[in-house]
C-alpha cells in the first residue's frame, strides 16, 4: 500500500503534479485561512488597539517603546540567523511580564507565525540556485510555476528571513499593545518626526478602527440589498466556487466607493479643523504632556544598552551576519 | 450707520439686541463690546456657477447674542456659517467671493476675517461642524483641546489653563483624560466645542452641532452654549433644524432662503405666522403652532417658546373631560387593535413579524442588550427610542443578523435569525442605514434600483418594477442622475426605494429623518404613510430620536435604557411619563410636556401634537377670548 502511494506520488507524473499543486497552492492558503479563522477583521481591529494593564512595560516612557522595535530590528540585521532566533527568545521576555489575555495570544501567534511560515514557503520554492538539493522536484507539468521544486537551501534561507520577521513583529507588537495611541503620537512628535507626519500618525491611529467599522457597515449594507459574501458550502463544486470568486471581485469597487467617499469627506473636514487650530503655523510647537523618566525607564535603557553591547561582541567574534 | 467708540468707528449695535435682552445682559454686553459684521454681496461655489449660494448678506452679531440660523436645505445656512468663521474664502475659495467679514472691538483695529489666515480667524471666531467624529483629531480629550494652543507654541502653563477653562465651560472637565473613541455623541460634540474655545474666540459658529445627538445630548450642548453666551459674553451663531429644542435659547433668529436673509428678527417675529416657515420647508416650533391656533386672550400673553413659559400662558386652559377620556378609553392603541384583529381571526395580523427573545449582547465590558424581549406584530409600526448607547441600534442589528447575541435569539416571521447570513434575513426584512451614503454603490439612480436584480439576487415575482419604484419615491425624472448629485432627502428616499425593490415584508429604519429639513422629512413621511396604508401591511421598526416621527407613525413605543426595554406602550401613554423618560435620557415632545404640566400629571395619556392639543382644549372665556373648539 505504502509502496503504491510512494510510487504514485513521487514517481508518476500525475501524482507528482497533484503533490506539486498542493505544495504551491495549499500552503499559501494556510496563512489567510488562519487569519480568517482566528483573527478576522474584528480581530485585526482589536490587535491594533491598546490593552490597559498595570505592568511595568505599560509605564515605560513611550519614547523608549517607540525606539525598541527599531533597535531590535537593527540587532536582527547584524546577527546571524541562529543568533536571531536567540534574540527572538529575548524579545519574548517582555511578553512574559505582560501576560496578555488568551485572545491576544491567539491573535498574536497568528499574526506573527503566518507571515513567517509564508516566508519560509516562498523562499523554499523560489530561492533556488542550480545544484540545490531538492526535497521535491516539480514535474514538467508544473513548469509554468517558474520553479524547479522545493529546495532545502531555499527553506533554510526562508528560515533566516522568518527569524527577522518574528523578532521585529514581537518587538513592534509590544509597542502597540502597551502604549496608548496618544502616547505613540506624543513620542513620535517628540522624537524626530516633522509635525505633518506626527499628525498623520495621530489621525491614522484614531481613525483606523473607524475605517474598519465603516467597511463592516458597507458590507452589511450590500448584504441587506441581497449581495452574498458567504463562502460556498461545497468548495469542490466548480460553479459555486467560480460564482463566489466573481462576487468577491465585483464587490471590490462596490465597497471601495462608499468607504473612499466617506473617508475623503472626513479628511476634508479634518484638514479644515486642523487649519483652524493653527496646525503647522509655528516650528516651535509646545506640548501639554510632560513625561518624567522613572527608574524603570533607566533600567530598560540599561538592558537595551547591554543587549546592544552583546550584539556588537557577537559581531566582533564572527557570529554576526557580516 | 456707525457708532463711535474709543476713536474707532464701529458698526451700529444690533437693532434687535437692545429691545430683546434683559438689562443686566445689556450692561454685560457694553463691557464685552465685540461685533461681527458680514457684508457679502455674492459667493458662488465652483460646482454651482449658475446661481450664487449667498447674495446680499448684511448681518451683525454682537458678543453675548445667541443667534439661530434656520432655513430649508440648500438655502445657504452652512455656507453662511463658513463665511462668518473665515473658512470662506480663505480655505474654500469658491468661484467668486465679494464682500468682507469684520470683527470689531472697542479700542482695536477691526480684523478682516475674509483676509487673514484661517488659524488667525479661528482665534476670533471658532467653528464647530456637524459631525463630531470628523473634527476630533487626537486620541484623548485633553490632548484634543490642547492641540490648538500647542500649535500656537503657547507656554505650557497657558496651555494647561486654557484646557482646564475650555473643558469647564463646555461641561466636560470630568472626562479630560478619557479616550475620545469611548465618548457618547453629545460628549464628543462638547469636546469639539471645548477645542474651539481653547483658541479663545469671541464668537462661536456652529453648523448643526446636534444632528446626531439624542435629546439629552442636544439639550446639554444647548445649555453649554447658553452658559457661554450669557455668562461669558461669547457670541453664538448656530445653524439648527431642531427648532422645538433650540427656540427658547435664541435671542434672535435669521431665516434664510435661496442664499439670502429673508427675516432677521426676534424669535416671535420669525416664527409667526408659521405659514412663512412652512412654505419654505422649515418645520415651525410646535409651541408657535399652538400659539397661532390659540384664542386672543392667550395670544395677548405673547409667544412662549419654552414649556415653563407656556404653562403660565395656558394655565387657565381646561380640556374637555370627554375628550380626555377618549384619549384614554376610545382611542384604541395599536396593541389593542392588534388584539382585536387577532380575536376577529385576521390571519395577517395575528402573526408575529419580528421577535427578540431574552437577548443579551456584550461588547467587552459593556452590556448593550440585557435579556431584552420584544415583539412586533405583522403590520405593526414600533418606535424604539432611547438615549445614545441605550441599545436601540444593537436590537436592530441582532434582528438583521449583523450582531450575534451572547444569549437568547431573534426570529423573523417565525424563523430563527442566523448571525452573518444577512442576505437570508434580507429576503423579508429591509434595513435603512442611518448614513444612507453607506448603502449606495452605483453610478446612477437606475442602477441603484436595479442593483439586486443585476447582482443575481432572487426578487419576488410581485415586486414593483424600477420605474414604479422611482415614481413612488419621487425620483422618476432623476433615473440617470448620480446618487451623489441628489440632495440628502432624495438619497434617503433612494435608499428606501432600493430596499423596496425586493418587496420586503418588514423594514428597520435607523434614524431616517436625521439631517432632513421639513420638506424632505415630509416627503419621507408621505412615503412612509403610503407604505403603512398599503395592502401589504409592512411591519416597521423605527429607531429614532425624532418625536414627530414617533407621534405620526408609531403604533407603539418601546423606550430603552441600558439595554433594557423599560416602557412599551402607545405614544400618548408613554409620553405622559415625563420622569421616566428623563431618567432614560429623553424628553417628551414639547406639547406632551406642556399638556402633562397643565394637568399636573393627573392623566396617563397626553397630546403629542399642537393639533391634538388645539382640538381638545376648552379655552377660558373672557378678556376677549373665545372658545374656539366648542362646537
Amino acid at each position: 500500500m505504502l509502496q503504491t502511494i510512494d510510487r504514485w506520488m513521487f514517481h508518476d507524473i500525475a501524482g507528482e503534479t497533484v503533490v506539486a499543486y498542493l505544495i504551491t497552492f495549499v500552503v499559501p492558503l494556510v496563512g489567510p485561512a488562519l487569519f480568517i479563522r482566528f483573527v478576522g477583521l474584528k480581530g485585526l481591529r482589536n490587535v491594533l488597539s491598546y490593552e490597559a494593564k498595570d505592568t511595568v512595560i505599560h509605564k515605560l516612557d513611550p519614547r523608549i517603546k517607540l525606539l525598541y522595535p527599531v533597535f531590535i530590528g537593527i540587532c536582527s540585521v547584524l546577527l546571524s540567523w541562529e543568533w536571531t532566533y536567540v534574540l527572538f527568545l529575548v524579545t519574548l521576555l517582555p511578553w512574559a511580564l505582560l501576560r496578555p489575555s488568551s485572545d491576544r495570544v491567539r491573535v498574536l501567534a497568528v499574526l506573527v507565525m503566518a507571515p513567517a511560515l509564508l516566508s519560509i514557503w516562498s523562499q523554499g520554492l523560489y530561492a533556488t540556485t542550480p545544484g540545490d538539493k531538492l526535497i521535491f522536484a516539480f514535474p514538467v507539468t508544473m513548469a509554468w510555476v517558474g520553479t524547479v521544486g522545493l529546495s532545502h537551501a531555499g527553506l533554510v534561507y526562508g528560515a533566516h528571513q522568518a527569524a527577522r520577521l518574528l523578532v521585529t513583529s514581537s518587538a513592534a507588537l509590544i509597542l502597540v499593545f502597551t502604549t496608548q495611541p496618544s502616547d505613540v503620537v506624543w513620542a513620535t512628535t517628540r522624537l524626530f518626526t516633522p509635525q505633518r507626519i506626527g499628525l498623520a500618525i495621530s489621525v491614522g491611529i484614531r481613525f483606523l478602527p473607524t475605517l474598519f467599522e465603516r467597511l463592516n457597515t458597507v458590507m452589511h449594507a450590500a448584504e441587506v440589498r441581497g449581495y452574498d459574501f458567504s463562502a460556498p458550502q461545497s468548495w469542490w463544486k466548480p460553479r459555486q466556487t467560480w460564482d463566489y470568486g466573481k462576487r468577491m471581485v465585483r464587490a471590490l469597487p462596490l465597497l471601495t466607493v462608499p468607504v473612499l467617499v466617506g473617508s475623503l469627506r472626513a479628511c476634508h473636514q479634518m484638514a479644515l479643523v486642523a487649519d483652524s487650530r493653527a496646525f503647522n503655523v509655528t516650528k516651535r510647537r509646545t506640548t501639554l504632556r510632560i513625561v518624567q523618566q522613572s527608574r524603570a525607564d533607566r533600567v530598560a535603557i540599561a538592558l537595551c544598552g547591554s543587549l546592544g553591547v552583546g550584539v556588537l561582541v557577537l559581531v566582533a567574534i564572527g557570529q554576526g551576519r557580516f | 450707520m456707525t457708532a463711535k467708540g474709543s476713536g474707532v468707528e464701529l458698526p451700529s449695535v444690533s437693532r434687535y439686541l437692545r429691545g430683546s435682552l434683559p438689562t443686566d445682559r445689556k450692561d454685560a454686553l457694553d463691557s464685552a463690546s465685540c461685533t461681527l459684521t458680514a457684508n457679502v454681496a455674492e459667493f458662488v461655489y465652483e460646482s454651482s456657477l449658475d446661481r450664487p449660494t449667498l447674495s446680499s448678506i448684511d448681518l451683525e452679531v454682537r458678543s453675548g447674542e445667541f443667534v439661530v440660523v434656520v432655513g430649508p436645505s440648500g438655502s445657504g445656512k452652512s455656507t453662511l456659517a463658513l463665511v462668518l468663521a473665515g473658512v470662506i474664502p480663505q480655505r474654500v475659495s469658491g468661484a467668486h467671493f465679494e464682500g468682507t467679514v469684520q470683527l470689531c472691538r472697542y479700542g482695536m483695529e477691526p480684523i478682516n476675517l475674509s483676509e487673514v489666515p484661517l488659524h488667525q480667524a479661528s482665534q476670533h471666531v471658532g467653528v464647530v461642524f456637524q459631525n463630531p467624529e470628523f473634527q476630533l483629531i487626537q486620541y484623548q480629550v485633553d490632548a484634543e483641546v490642547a492641540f490648538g494652543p500647542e500649535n500656537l507654541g503657547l507656554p505650557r502653563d497657558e496651555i494647561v489653563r486654557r484646557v482646564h477653562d475650555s473643558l469647564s465651560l463646555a461641561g466636560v472637565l470630568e472626562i479630560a483624560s478619557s479616550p475620545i473613541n469611548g465618548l457618547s455623541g453629545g460628549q464628543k460634540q462638547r469636546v469639539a466645542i471645548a477645542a474651539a474655545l481653547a483658541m479663545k474666540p469671541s464668537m462661536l459658529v456652529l453648523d448643526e452641532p446636534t444632528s446626531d445627538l439624542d435629546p439629552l445630548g442636544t439639550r446639554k450642548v444647548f445649555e453649554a452654549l447658553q452658559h457661554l453666551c450669557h455668562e461669558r459674553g461669547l457670541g453664538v451663531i448656530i445653524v439648527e433644524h431642531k427648532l422645538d429644542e433650540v427656540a427658547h435659547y435664541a435671542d434672535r433668529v435669521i431665516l434664510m432662503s435661496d442664499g439670502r436673509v429673508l427675516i432677521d428678527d426676534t424669535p416671535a417675529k420669525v416664527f409667526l405666522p408659521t405659514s412663512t416657515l412652512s412654505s419654505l420647508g422649515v418645520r415651525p416650533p410646535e409651541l408657535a403652532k399652538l400659539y397661532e391656533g390659540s384664542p386672543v386672550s392667550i395670544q395677548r400673553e405673547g409667544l412662549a417658546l419654552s414649556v415653563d413659559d407656556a404653562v403660565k400662558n395656558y394655565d387657565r386652559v381646561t380640556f374637555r373631560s370627554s375628550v380626555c377620556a377618549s384619549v384614554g378609553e376610545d382611542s384604541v392603541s395599536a396593541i389593542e387593535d392588534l388584539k382585536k384583529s387577532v380575536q376577529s381571526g385576521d390571519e395577517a395580523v395575528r402573526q408575529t413579524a419580528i421577535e427578540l427573545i431574552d437577548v443579551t449582547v456584550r461588547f467587552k465590558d459593556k452590556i448593550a442588550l440585557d435579556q431584552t424581549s420584544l415583539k412586533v406584530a405583522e403590520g405593526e409600526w414600533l418606535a424604539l427610542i432611547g438615549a445614545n448607547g441605550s441599545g436601540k441600534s444593537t436590537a436592530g442589528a441582532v434582528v438583521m443578523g449583523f450582531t450575534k447575541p451572547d444569549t437568547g435569539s431573534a426570529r423573523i416571521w417565525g424563523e430563527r435569525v442566523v448571525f452573518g447570513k444577512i442576505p437570508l434575513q434580507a429576503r423579508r426584512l429591509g434595513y435603512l442605514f442611518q448614513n444612507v451614503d453607506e448603502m449606495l454603490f452605483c453610478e446612477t439612480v437606475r442602477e441603484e434600483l436595479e442593483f439586486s436584480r443585476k447582482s443575481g439576487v432572487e426578487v419576488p415575482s410581485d415586486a414593483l418594477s424600477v420605474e414604479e419604484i422611482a415614481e413612488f419615491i419621487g425620483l422618476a425624472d432623476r433615473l440617470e442622475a448620480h446618487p451623489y448629485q441628489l440632495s440628502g432627502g432624495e438619497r434617503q428616499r433612494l435608499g428606501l426605494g432600493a430596499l423596496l425593490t425586493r418587496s420586503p415584508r418588514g423594514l428597520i429604519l435607523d434614524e431616517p429623518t436625521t439631517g432632513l429639513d421639513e420638506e424632505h422629512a415630509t416627503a419621507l413621511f408621505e412615503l412612509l404613510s403610503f407604505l403603512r396604508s398599503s395592502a401589504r401591511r409592512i411591519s416597521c421598526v423605527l429607531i429614532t430620536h425624532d418625536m414627530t416621527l414617533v407621534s405620526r407613525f408609531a403604533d407603539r413605543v418601546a423606550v430603552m435604557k441600558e439595554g433594557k426595554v423599560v416602557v412599551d406602550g402607545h405614544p400618548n401613554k408613554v409620553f405622559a411619563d415625563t420622569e421616566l423618560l428623563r431618567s432614560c435620557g429623553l424628553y417628551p415632545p414639547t406639547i406632551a410636556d406642556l399638556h402633562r404640566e397643565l394637568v399636573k400629571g393627573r392623566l396617563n395619556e397626553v397630546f403629542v401634537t399642537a393639533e391634538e392639543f388645539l382640538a381638545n382644549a376648552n379655552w377660558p372665556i373672557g378678556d376677549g377670548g373665545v372658545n374656539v373648539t366648542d362646537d
Side-chain angles (χ1 to χ4, degrees):
Chain A
M1 177 72 177
L2 283 174
Q3 276 185 342
T4 311
I5 294 172
D6 177 67
R7 195 166 55 242
W8 184 77
M9 284 177 66
F10 299 108
H11 304 286
D12 182 281
I13 193 161
E16 285 175 343
T17 305
V18 170
V19 174
Y21 262 97
L22 290 174
I23 291 172
T24 311
F25 296 109
V26 174
V27 175
L29 286 176
V30 171
L34 283 174
F35 181 82
I36 292 166
R37 174 69 184 83
F38 293 108
V39 182
L41 273 181
K42 284 183 184 169
L44 189 62
R45 195 174 69 191
N46 290 337
V47 83
L48 291 166
S49 62
Y50 164 78
E51 188 176 48
K53 270 191 171 183
D54 188 23
T55 72
V56 68
I57 307 285
H58 281 76
K59 289 174 189 163
L60 287 177
D61 186 331
R63 288 171 294 190
I64 295 174
K65 286 190 274 185
L66 189 67
L67 289 174
Y68 172 66
V70 179
F71 170 70
I72 291 291
I74 292 169
C75 289
S76 74
V77 171
L78 293 174
L79 289 172
S80 67
W81 72 278
E82 295 92 340
W83 280 104
T84 307
Y85 276 106
V86 175
L87 185 65
F88 174 59
L89 294 177
V90 172
T91 63
L92 294 181
L93 293 177
W95 289 106
L97 289 173
L98 277 179
R99 294 187 186 171
S101 60
S102 56
D103 282 353
R104 292 267 169 164
V105 170
R106 191 184 61 196
V107 170
L108 182 74
V110 172
L111 276 183
V112 172
M113 297 307 292
L117 283 174
L118 281 177
S119 170
I120 295 171
W121 166 85
S122 61
Q123 299 304 329
L125 280 183
Y126 292 99
T128 56
T129 51
D132 276 354
K133 182 187 170 191
L134 293 178
I135 296 170
F136 183 83
F138 278 11
V140 68
T141 48
M142 292 296 285
W144 59 273
V145 179
T147 175
V148 291
L150 194 64
S151 90
H152 179 263
L155 286 177
V156 171
Y157 183 64
H160 295 189
Q161 288 198 343
R164 293 192 177 91
L165 205 65
L166 288 170
V167 164
T168 318
S169 307
S170 169
L173 286 169
I174 283 279
L175 170 76
V176 174
F177 277 24
T178 66
T179 319
Q180 287 202 38
S182 55
D183 288 347
V184 177
V185 175
W186 177 84
T188 311
T189 51
R190 299 312 292 172
L191 274 173
F192 40 71
T193 52
Q195 287 184 35
R196 283 172 194 274
I197 295 179
L199 182 73
I201 292 171
S202 166
V203 170
I205 288 173
R206 162 109 168 76
F207 282 92
L208 207 58
T210 312
L211 192 70
F212 282 118
E213 271 166 26
R214 192 178 296 152
L215 180 64
N216 206 25
T217 307
V218 172
M219 285 176 76
H220 283 160
E223 288 180 298
V224 163
R225 295 182 60 186
Y227 207 90
D228 195 356
F229 291 105
S230 56
Q233 298 286 330
S234 319
W235 279 97
W236 58 89
K237 290 185 179 170
R239 182 62 191 266
Q240 281 189 16
T241 308
W242 173 250
D243 286 347
Y244 173 66
K246 252 187 3 184
R247 285 201 305 274
M248 288 295 116
V249 171
R250 275 198 63 203
L252 282 176
L254 290 180
L255 302 181
T256 310
V257 171
V259 171
L260 203 63
V261 167
S263 300
L264 287 175
R265 282 180 178 168
C267 287
H268 176 72
Q269 184 159 330
M270 265 189 292
L272 272 182
V273 170
D275 280 351
S276 71
R277 306 244 187 94
F279 177 67
N280 213 23
V281 297
T282 172
K283 296 238 181 287
R284 300 184 62 189
R285 191 174 187 273
T286 47
T287 177
L288 173 72
R289 176 98 194 266
I290 291 176
V291 172
Q292 302 278 0
Q293 287 229 325
S294 65
R295 189 165 162 238
D297 293 322
R298 289 190 287 275
V299 170
I301 291 170
L303 286 173
C304 285
S306 310
L307 185 62
V309 170
V311 167
L312 289 176
V313 168
L314 284 171
V315 171
I317 62 171
Q319 294 296 308
R321 190 173 162 217
F322 303 104
Chain B
M1 184 179 141
T2 56
K4 302 263 182 187
S6 305
V8 179
E9 272 204 335
L10 287 168
S12 62
V13 171
S14 167
R15 60 188 179 282
Y16 312 105
L17 193 61
R18 291 289 164 191
S20 60
L21 293 181
T23 315
D24 56 335
R25 285 189 50 207
K26 284 178 200 167
D27 296 341
L29 292 179
D30 285 337
S31 59
S33 62
C34 175
T35 310
L36 182 69
T37 314
N39 300 108
V40 181
E42 189 174 81
F43 174 70
V44 185
Y45 279 113
E46 283 171 346
S47 55
S48 58
L49 292 169
D50 52 333
R51 70 178 185 92
T53 305
L54 291 180
S55 57
S56 308
I57 301 290
D58 186 6
L59 281 178
E60 213 176 80
V61 180
R62 278 179 57 96
S63 43
E65 248 188 314
F66 195 118
V67 180
V68 178
V69 183
V70 301
S73 293
S75 60
K77 307 184 298 292
S78 296
T79 307
L80 177 66
L82 295 179
V83 167
L84 294 176
V87 176
I88 294 175
Q90 281 302 313
R91 191 62 172 67
V92 179
S93 56
H96 176 63
F97 177 83
E98 188 184 334
T100 56
V101 178
Q102 283 195 325
L103 189 86
C104 304
R105 290 175 205 268
Y106 286 113
M108 290 177 70
E109 285 292 318
I111 300 151
N112 189 342
L113 299 176
S114 315
E115 291 179 356
V116 298
L118 185 56
H119 71 269
Q120 281 182 24
S122 65
Q123 292 175 62
H124 302 287
V125 180
V127 60
V128 177
F129 297 98
Q130 184 175 345
N131 189 341
E133 196 61 50
F134 300 150
Q135 53 190 319
L136 301 176
I137 296 166
Q138 300 289 312
Y139 186 80
Q140 201 162 298
V141 169
D142 53 0
E144 180 66 41
V145 180
F147 183 68
E150 285 175 343
N151 287 331
L152 292 171
L154 298 174
R156 187 175 175 276
D157 289 348
E158 173 65 9
I159 296 174
V160 171
R161 199 172 56 78
R162 285 197 184 194
V163 169
H164 183 273
D165 288 354
S166 306
L167 289 171
S168 300
L169 285 170
V172 280
L173 185 61
E174 71 281 2
I175 55 167
S177 54
S178 304
I180 284 168
N181 280 340
L183 304 183
S184 70
Q187 285 173 322
K188 282 180 184 170
Q189 197 59 279
R190 281 182 286 152
V191 172
I193 291 171
L197 292 176
M199 299 298 281
K200 286 252 172 189
S202 311
M203 299 272 168
L204 201 55
V205 177
L206 306 101
D207 185 6
E208 296 189 40
T210 66
S211 62
D212 291 335
L213 306 190
D214 59 24
L216 185 66
T218 299
R219 188 169 284 208
K220 287 198 168 181
V221 167
F222 289 154
E223 282 171 357
L225 291 173
Q226 189 186 40
H227 174 76
L228 287 168
C229 184
H230 293 178
E231 306 299 325
R232 298 295 176 122
L234 200 81
V236 171
I237 304 154
I238 179 169
V239 176
E240 190 54 75
H241 277 306
K242 296 178 180 175
L243 290 191
D244 279 314
E245 286 89 341
V246 79
H248 75 275
Y249 297 101
D251 296 320
R252 191 174 137 202
V253 177
I254 295 172
L255 175 63
M256 293 194 69
S257 175
D258 290 329
R260 292 166 188 271
V261 173
L262 209 63
I263 313 175
D264 178 358
D265 218 315
T266 56
K269 289 185 179 167
V270 177
F271 295 151
L272 297 171
T274 56
S275 56
T276 311
L277 292 177
S278 301
S279 65
L280 289 171
V282 178
R283 189 190 299 173
E286 287 289 313
L287 285 174
K289 283 158 69 177
L290 181 63
Y291 172 88
E292 211 169 40
S294 302
V296 177
S297 59
I298 299 284
Q299 290 188 348
R300 204 177 289 141
E301 304 292 330
L303 171 62
L305 289 169
S306 71
V307 170
D308 288 345
D309 293 340
V311 166
K312 291 172 201 157
N313 293 359
Y314 290 87
D315 62 351
R316 287 180 296 148
V317 176
T318 58
F319 298 93
R320 281 183 284 176
S321 57
S322 58
V323 175
C324 289
S326 78
V327 175
E329 294 161 16
D330 302 336
S331 165
V332 183
S333 73
I335 306 166
E336 290 156 354
D337 192 14
L338 285 164
K339 282 178 185 166
K340 284 185 178 178
S341 302
V342 171
Q343 285 159 7
S344 64
D346 183 343
E347 289 296 328
V349 174
R350 186 183 298 164
Q351 193 175 4
T352 298
I354 298 166
E355 191 174 12
L356 288 177
I357 308 156
D358 289 332
V359 171
T360 299
V361 176
R362 287 188 189 84
F363 296 125
K364 291 187 179 172
D365 302 331
K366 193 190 167 197
I367 296 183
L369 288 180
D370 190 2
Q371 293 192 310
T372 304
S373 294
L374 205 59
K375 272 187 185 181
V376 182
E378 177 97 5
E380 189 181 21
W381 284 50
L382 170 79
L384 267 184
I385 63 173
N388 288 348
S390 60
K392 310 183 296 291
S393 293
T394 308
V398 168
V399 171
M400 206 64 218
F402 298 156
T403 300
K404 187 177 185 179
D406 293 304
T407 60
S409 63
R411 290 179 178 276
I412 53 172
W413 285 272
E415 284 187 17
R416 197 183 175 98
V417 169
V418 185
F419 166 68
K421 296 281 181 190
I422 297 156
L424 190 69
Q425 277 83 248
R427 287 181 187 168
R428 293 172 175 174
L429 198 58
Y431 192 104
L432 186 71
F433 288 77
Q434 182 176 358
N435 180 1
V436 76
D437 291 349
E438 286 169 341
M439 58 185 296
L440 301 178
F441 311 106
C442 305
E443 293 190 8
T444 64
V445 170
R446 180 186 294 282
E447 285 177 24
E448 286 292 351
L449 297 177
E450 289 174 345
F451 177 84
S452 295
R453 280 177 215 272
K454 290 200 169 175
S455 301
V457 177
E458 194 181 323
V459 175
S461 55
D462 62 342
L464 296 172
S465 69
V466 167
E467 284 73 20
E468 285 171 323
I469 297 265
E471 186 72 37
F472 179 59
I473 59 175
L475 295 176
D477 56 340
R478 307 293 306 273
L479 276 172
E480 304 311 320
H482 194 287
Y484 287 117
Q485 288 176 331
L486 306 180
S487 68
E490 288 171 332
R491 287 207 297 279
Q492 197 80 350
R493 298 207 298 275
L494 175 60
L496 188 59
L499 297 176
L500 295 178
T501 55
R502 301 189 67 198
S503 276
R505 294 174 71 180
L507 287 170
I508 299 175
L509 309 179
D510 192 356
E511 297 288 358
T513 55
T514 295
L516 299 189
D517 62 12
E518 178 67 356
E519 186 186 349
H520 286 117
T522 303
L524 186 73
F525 286 170
E526 284 169 5
L527 206 60
L528 295 177
S529 296
F530 187 83
L531 278 177
R532 197 164 187 273
S533 58
S534 69
R536 293 184 62 85
R537 296 191 66 88
I538 283 182
S539 308
C540 187
V541 178
L542 295 162
I543 298 169
T544 187
H545 294 135
D546 185 341
M547 297 305 170
T548 308
L549 186 70
V550 175
S551 58
R552 283 185 65 168
F553 291 101
D555 299 315
R556 232 173 83 214
V557 180
V559 183
M560 296 196 69
K561 182 187 178 187
E562 293 166 2
K564 287 186 173 172
V565 175
V566 289
V567 195
D568 186 346
H570 190 272
N572 294 68
K573 279 185 178 172
V574 172
F575 290 144
D577 200 342
T578 313
E579 276 75 28
L580 186 81
L581 287 175
R582 286 189 176 151
S583 73
C584 298
L586 294 170
Y587 290 93
T590 314
I591 298 297
D593 203 9
L594 173 63
H595 186 200
R596 189 186 170 282
E597 287 294 320
L598 291 173
V599 298
K600 310 271 186 301
R602 287 193 301 272
L603 294 178
N604 59 2
E605 298 197 16
V606 289
F607 307 127
V608 293
T609 63
E611 289 79 8
E612 278 182 331
F613 189 105
L614 289 168
N616 293 292
N618 277 327
W619 303 108
I621 309 288
D623 297 335
V626 288
N627 190 337
V628 293
T629 59
D630 279 351
D631 298 324

